Every structure is written in C-alpha cells, then in structure tokens.
Amino acid sequence: MSSKGGAYIVGAYESPDRVIPDRSTAQLTAEVAVAALADAGLTMEDVDGFACTADLDALPLAMSEYLGLRNLRWVDTTMTGGSSPLVQLGHAAAAIVRGQCEVVLITLAQRARSAPGERNRGFNPEGPFEEVYGLNTMGSYALAARRHMYEFGTTSEQLAWVKASASLHAQHNPNAFIQRPITVEEVLDSPMLSDPLHRLDSCVVTDGAGAVVVVSPAVKARLNRVGAKVLGQAETVKGTDLGRVDLTYTGARFTGPRAFEEAGISPSDIDYASIYDSFTITVIETIEDLGFCEKGDGGRFVADGGLLASGRLPVNTDGGGLCNNHPGKGGMMRLIEAVRQVRGETTPAVQVPDCELVLVHGTGGQLGTRMGSSTVILGVEDA
Amino acid sequence: MLEIVEDGLNLPVPPPQIQPEMSVFWEALRVGELLLPHCRRCEFVVWSPRPYCPKCGSFDVDWVSASGDGVVYSFTVNRRGKGFNKKYQEIGPYIVAYVELAEGPRILTNIVDADVDSVEIGVRVRGVVHRAGDDVIVRFRPVEGESAHVDSSGGAP
C-alpha cells in the first residue's frame, strides 16, 4: 500500500476573481480558506495542520494568526515557487499518515497583477552571475524553448498549439481571464518578446487565490463528501547541473517515475492531467518528461490536439495558467482543477467521462535556471 | 587575458553583489582575467564561481584562468527589458545566452557586438570584459572567420 495513500482532499476552492485591487493577500487567503473548509463540511476550528504560499516570506507565519488557527500541530512553509502547494500536499499526506495531524489546510494567494511589487526576491547566490545579464522570466523559458527547437525540431506553431488548446477549454470557464478561442496564427502574430517566445506563449498575469483541505481517513468517514485520494507524490529541485545546464528537460523527469511508482500506475492510466503552464514550452517539456510521449515528440503531440478534453491526454480543462488563472504562482490552480475532474465537478463541456486517475505537475522557478518540481497523482475514492 | 572595453557600452554594467569569499574572482575580472574555480580533489571546473566544489564537496579549490573561448549553447533576444535587474527595465533588444566554455561550464551571459538576428546555437564566441569604474561583467562576442560555427552537442557534456 502507498505510504501516503491514507489522505484525501475533501475540500477545494478557487476564488472566481482574477483582478483584485481591493483586498490583500491575507484577506484573500481567509476567503478561500473558509470556502474550502465549507466545501469539506469543516470549520477553522477543525484545522490542525497548515501550509501556505504567499507573496511575502513572512506571511506564512502571520497567516495562521490572521486565520485564527489555534490548534496547529503541523506547519509547512515550503517555498519551491509555483509548485509549492503540491510539495506541501505530499508533506501533508505523509504527516497525516504519521498521525501528526488530521485536517490540513493548504492555501495560496498572490496578487501578481495588482501588486507585483510585493514579490520578495531576496539574495540569491547565483544573482551576480545571472540577473546582471538582464535575464527575465520569459527569457529564461525562451532559452529552454530555443534549445528544444534545436535538438528536436520543435516549432513555434507547435508551441502555439498549447495556448490554442488551453483557450478552447477556457471558453467554457466563466471565470477564466481569457474566455475566447485563440488561434495558432494569433499566437504567431503576437509580438515577439523573448525569441522564440511570443506574448501569447505566456500565461496570463492575474491576482488569485485558492485552497484545499486534506484529511485523514477517519475524518473523511465523518464527512458526507466525495474525496480525491492522494495516491502518489514526488518532489525535487532541478538546477543547472553543476554548471552544465541541459535545458531540454525538467524536474518532471525524476518526479514522474517516483509518483507513478508510489501510485502503482503508469502514464497510460491517467485520465486527466493538470500540467503547469507558465509558458507553452513548459507543457511540452513536462509531458515528455512524465512519459506521456517520447522525449522530443512533445511538439507533435500537442499539435495533434493531444491536450484537448477530447484528445489523448486532456490537459488543463479550466484553461490553465495560459488562459484561466496564474497569480504569479499557479500550482494551487492546477491542483484544484484536477480535484474538480476526479470529483466530476468541472464544467460539463470539458468534464472527462469516467475520470478516475488524474495527475498534477507543478514547476516553480525558472526553466532556464532552476526549478522546484512536484508530481501528484490523485484517484477517485477507493479506486 | 580578455579584452577590456570601457567606452561606448550599450548594455549596463550592474554593480555585482560581491560576497566576501569571491573578491579574488572580481579583482581578476577587473584586469581582464576570467577565473574558474578548479577542484584540486576531483579536477572539476566549477560554475557558478565559488571556492567550494559542488561535485565532490571539497574546499580544496584553486583558480584557473579561462581561455575565453566558447560556443553558444542557447540564446534568446529580449525585445524589451523587464529584467530582474532594474538596470534592464527599459532597454532592448539584447541577447541573453548560455555559452559553453572550452573548459566545460555553460555560463549565462550576453552576446554583444552582434546583430540580434545573426546569432545561432553553435556560433563560436570569445569573452570580453565590460568595465565601468570598478564594476565589471564578462560578455561574449562572435568570432569571425571560417570556423565560426560548430555543431553543439546535445545533453550535458
């Protein structure tokens, strides 16, 4: 039996707002925390474990007080960029199996659109050898895209298919930041910002917040709620390979096999996948690394409609970070759509029939330098 | 030794954050020498520079002088700045690249003195030091001539 199998996500909530000028991340955290607990049939009083991602490094500690969490026996302030909530989910499931806690609240709130200055970069020992060259976020992913094109013949058209596929899903999501279909040609015609990436190869920049509630089997038995069972989780950090960076792969190369092994399944068993999509290239490299296609074939996979709800691997049916919601860090949003899919609660037009096994992969940080990666596999209750 | 250029720079030379154990590196770069940490225990050439070998965990590390020769491993043209470093907020286009040094490391840098549409993976480049007062930065410019382009091998060397 899976060592982390004894934990269930029983509550999930994503704020419907994408532009939030009038509330702080602390207030947003409270909103989504209360709503996710209500979804589970629980209250703040029941929470004995807390994990949090926010703009400010100091906020995780302050947030437990803001929320009124008085019974904490377990906390996690892991920061692996956008993948943080997925890493925290794995840690939470393990803590629940150990009996350290029974009801874990995991939150993310960030206002990348209205308050981008709240990001706190701090000192990074690599800074004097990276940031001084004018590296920016999109340029970092562009370095990876360029090398992937060179080694595997990946094209701009194939990259654009990732955005187009996400937009075909987002048109059904009334909360999505972009709700209209975007064509491949439109992506290619959008301004080139960091060659070979165009403006529309990027995720949307939103304000956003979300939360999930993870509980023990005993707590779940008391709740009249469909749960998503945590079947497997793995995490790593992939960097510049001791100064010999290989830009053609991500940390998913390592976390995918370990998560599949723990869950006792293989990539072909997955009915739906939430794939972190900060940029179009992120998805292509990640699906290769997870084993959904051969290394180098990601471009052809997506251009064949492989990511569509009706395709070989339905991906990001909410519109993903590319069209729906990417508040600076997007792992929570990827997780919540996976929970909706496995509970049969997403938008009917994109609900995957008989969706029993789902995968979530988070990529935090930068494809061009270093990233925190985490793969999570969820299943329908008692699948 | 690398050529030092002080006049007519069209890219900023941001003041580096100099950590105390790294003063040797920066003092050498100010006079045109790119030092690479070299592990005396496992012979690994380290990047980014630090007097510590991340491959074997040794602190028995000395410094070797880089030839300055390299090949473009990957690159992007940032059409507008928005860089993490504030000095790049409003400038562009400029080229950010990984250059594979002859000594092994792939280092992040800029390609300069090149048309932004002419750079390709596999282009041979040579290091140049941009200096503004006490601040220095190592960048690379394409090498002219017949052997200007090589196949760039895949994967980590």
Side-chain angles (χ1 to χ4, degrees):
Chain A
M1 185 190 128
S2 158
S3 64
K4 295 170 192 164
Y8 296 82
I9 298 174
V10 291
Y13 183 79
E14 178 185 16
S15 169
D17 299 331
R18 301 291 179 266
V19 183
I20 311 172
D22 58 340
R23 284 112 76 209
S24 68
T25 45
Q27 186 68 12
L28 286 171
T29 301
E31 290 175 17
V32 295
V34 168
L37 286 164
D39 182 43
L42 293 166
T43 70
M44 214 61 82
E45 190 80 6
D46 299 307
V47 175
D48 62 358
F50 178 54
C52 166
T53 305
D55 303 299
L56 298 171
D57 291 346
L59 207 54
L61 293 184
M63 276 315 304
S64 55
E65 184 155 349
Y66 193 97
L67 294 174
L69 299 174
R70 302 177 294 285
N71 305 315
L72 292 183
R73 298 192 289 156
W74 178 90
V75 293
D76 186 342
T77 60
T78 296
M79 173 47 68
T80 55
S83 60
S84 303
L86 305 179
V87 174
Q88 292 165 349
L89 173 62
H91 297 181
I96 287 169
V97 168
R98 272 181 74 196
Q100 280 191 295
C101 51
E102 283 204 293
V103 177
V104 176
L105 171 68
I106 306 177
T107 67
L108 178 143
Q110 207 171 349
R111 295 198 302 152
R113 189 163 196 92
S114 299
E118 288 181 4
R119 281 187 72 171
N120 179 2
R121 294 192 62 78
F123 174 71
N124 165 5
E126 310 286 353
F129 306 100
E130 292 175 354
E131 297 179 9
V132 290
Y133 294 106
L135 187 66
N136 59 21
T137 303
M138 191 179 222
S140 179
Y141 286 79
L143 287 166
R146 173 75 71 191
R147 187 70 198 186
H148 199 276
M149 288 175 160
Y150 178 84
E151 291 198 26
F152 305 117
T154 307
T155 66
S156 291
E157 288 81 358
Q158 290 169 342
L159 290 167
W161 261 97
V162 182
K163 183 76 163 194
S165 302
S167 77
L168 290 173
H169 297 150
Q171 65 179 331
H172 302 294
N173 179 353
N175 298 323
F177 190 76
I178 298 175
Q179 294 182 22
R180 62 180 181 83
I182 294 172
T183 64
V184 168
E185 291 69 31
E186 212 176 327
V187 178
L188 300 178
D189 288 344
S190 68
M192 188 74 89
L193 295 185
S194 292
D195 307 35
L197 296 183
H198 301 78
R199 182 189 297 278
L200 288 178
D201 281 300
S202 170
C203 62
V204 296
V205 178
T206 56
D207 304 326
V212 296
V213 180
V214 195
V215 302
S216 66
V219 170
K220 188 191 158 296
R222 299 202 301 268
L223 303 169
N224 182 25
R225 197 69 181 95
V226 176
K229 190 171 183 179
V230 181
L231 300 175
Q233 184 269 343
E235 68 210 43
T236 194
V237 177
K238 188 257 184 183
T240 58
D241 304 306
L242 302 179
R244 276 71 171 162
V245 70
D246 182 340
L247 294 171
T248 62
Y249 75 96
T250 73
R253 172 184 288 190
F254 307 111
T255 59
R258 285 196 270 123
F260 281 120
E261 184 182 4
E262 187 185 8
I265 64 170
S266 64
S268 61
D269 295 319
I270 294 295
D271 298 309
Y272 164 82
S274 274
I275 305 291
Y276 204 96
D277 56 346
S278 42
F279 295 90
T280 52
I281 183 62
T282 320
V283 175
I284 289 180
E285 289 202 6
T286 304
I287 60 171
E288 295 171 348
D289 293 333
L290 291 173
F292 291 115
C293 62
E294 292 293 314
K295 181 45 85 181
D297 279 346
R300 284 177 286 279
F301 185 101
V302 303
D304 286 343
L307 306 179
L308 296 173
S310 56
R312 284 165 67 189
L313 179 70
V315 165
N316 297 349
T317 41
D318 61 328
L322 286 168
C323 292
N324 172 28
N325 196 6
H326 195 277
K329 299 185 183 73
M332 177 62 72
M333 286 66 208
R334 299 299 87 243
L335 174 60
I336 291 173
E337 179 65 0
V339 172
R340 288 190 200 110
Q341 278 286 358
V342 82
R343 298 205 303 195
E345 294 176 348
T346 197
T347 314
V350 293
Q351 175 67 51
V352 174
D354 305 317
C355 188
E356 295 188 340
L357 290 166
V358 302
L359 176 146
V360 192
H361 185 83
T363 305
Q366 309 273 326
L367 231 54
T369 53
R370 60 201 62 81
M371 68 200 80
S373 299
S374 181
T375 306
V376 168
I377 295 172
L378 305 175
V380 290
E381 196 174 335
D382 302 324
Chain B
M1 299 293 275
L2 309 183
E3 184 182 339
I4 298 173
V5 179
E6 295 184 280
D7 299 318
L9 302 178
N10 55 11
L11 283 180
V13 182
Q17 292 173 289
I18 299 177
Q19 302 306 300
E21 68 276 11
M22 287 293 294
S23 57
V24 172
F25 175 89
W26 294 106
E27 282 166 18
L29 197 60
R30 279 188 195 117
V31 294
E33 186 177 22
L34 173 60
L35 290 181
L36 303 173
H38 162 259
C39 178
R40 287 159 55 96
R41 186 159 88 185
C42 77
E43 300 291 331
F44 188 68
V45 178
V46 174
W47 194 265
S48 63
R50 73 204 87 163
Y52 163 71
C53 177
K55 187 164 186 182
C56 78
S58 171
F59 289 93
D60 187 9
V61 168
D62 58 12
W63 300 88
V64 296
S65 188
S67 64
D69 295 326
V71 172
V72 173
Y73 169 77
S74 193
F75 71 99
T76 182
V77 183
N78 278 347
R79 301 283 167 171
R80 46 148 203 191
K82 304 284 185 191
F84 301 136
N85 187 294
K86 286 187 170 60
K87 289 184 181 291
Y88 287 86
Q89 280 295 304
E90 304 300 334
I91 65 167
Y94 59 93
I95 301 169
V96 177
Y98 271 107
V99 164
E100 183 172 316
L101 300 181
E103 292 80 7
R106 290 173 181 160
I107 80 172
L108 200 72
T109 187
N110 300 122
I111 305 298
V112 294
D113 304 330
D115 186 88
V116 293
D117 296 319
S118 70
V119 173
E120 293 176 42
I121 289 174
V123 164
R124 286 190 192 276
V125 292
R126 179 161 176 79
V128 56
V129 172
H130 282 184
R131 188 165 71 189
D134 280 344
D135 299 329
V136 285
I137 189 169
V138 61
R139 292 178 165 127
F140 290 79
R141 49 164 73 127
V143 173
E144 308 285 335
E146 279 182 19
S147 61
H149 196 281
V150 296
D151 279 341
S152 177
S153 63

